[in-house]
Amino acid sequence: MPISRWVTHVVERCAELGVALTPPHRQVVAAAVLDVKGMNIDAALEPLYEWGGELGSLLTRRAIGALGATPADIQSYGKAALLGMDVPLEWGAALLHPRLGKSVRACLPTAETIMPSVTRRGGPGASVDIPLHGVSDMWSFDHFDTVSLSVADAPAAHEILIAVALADRGRPLARVTPG
């Protein structure tokens, strides 16, 4: 797997609009930047499926470690692919589906929902907003959230940034009900 670098981004929100959060609301994004220069646009997708499965486990373990959490502490998750301008969108989809989500769920004892995801194209420094929802209940309104990631030097035109996002609780001050 052609990984050129790893990126970890932790957000620890201690207050929301002046209201102290105890404990803090914590989110993490663990990402890998893949250099796919030289891959043929018509190449078989199977290697990307395999890389996705491997990355799901690797990124989840990195994210949990960065939070200083246990797998059982994770309450919400999401995934993203940010593609350079010369990379087919289908390659991002092949990395995120079908194996990455399955390998993330295998790392988290209460995870059983599909992972929300986003795939988009952008240049170095582009931002990707990663949707989150509950690992055990995808309809838990408290866990509908977003975390953003921007990496100054990625993705280059021939790179893919693959990310797994985790949070140890729902949105700060959440109180939306199903109505």
Side-chain angles (χ1 to χ4, degrees):
M1 184 174 1
I3 297 173
S4 62
R5 55 204 173 283
W6 299 97
V7 177
T8 305
H9 174 69
V10 177
V11 178
E12 187 166 333
R13 192 171 287 111
C14 299
E16 174 73 1
L17 299 175
V19 177
L21 300 175
T22 307
H25 173 257
R26 298 181 313 148
Q27 299 170 316
V28 62
V29 181
V33 179
L34 309 177
D35 184 342
V36 293
K37 191 174 191 172
M39 281 184 69
N40 183 329
I41 192 167
D42 296 324
L45 297 177
E46 185 63 33
L48 296 173
Y49 300 156
E50 290 177 25
W51 294 350
E54 293 172 31
L55 284 168
S57 295
L58 290 168
L59 293 172
T60 301
R61 289 194 307 268
R62 283 177 169 269
I64 291 168
L67 278 180
T70 69
D73 293 332
I74 304 306
Q75 294 186 16
S76 60
Y77 57 10
K79 58 188 175 181
L82 181 58
L83 308 163
M85 301 309 285
D86 294 341
V87 180
L89 288 171
E90 191 66 5
W91 290 7
L95 285 160
L96 293 181
H97 323 290
R99 298 187 190 158
L100 185 140
K102 184 177 182 179
S103 65
V104 171
R105 284 188 296 278
C107 295
L108 304 173
T110 61
E112 51 190 46
T113 64
I114 63 168
M115 291 180 75
S117 66
V118 61
T119 301
R120 68 174 293 253
R121 207 177 262 126
S127 181
V128 62
D129 296 327
I130 307 168
L132 302 173
H133 72 212
V135 299
S136 60
D137 177 3
M138 65 189 250
W139 291 105
S140 169
F141 285 30
D142 290 358
H143 293 88
F144 291 169
D145 205 354
T146 305
V147 61
S148 300
L149 178 67
S150 177
V151 179
D153 64 349
H158 57 276
E159 292 180 328
I160 304 172
L161 185 142
I162 295 293
V164 169
L166 306 175
D168 63 359
R169 66 193 76 260
R171 277 185 328 278
L173 311 179
R175 57 189 183 99
V176 173
T177 63

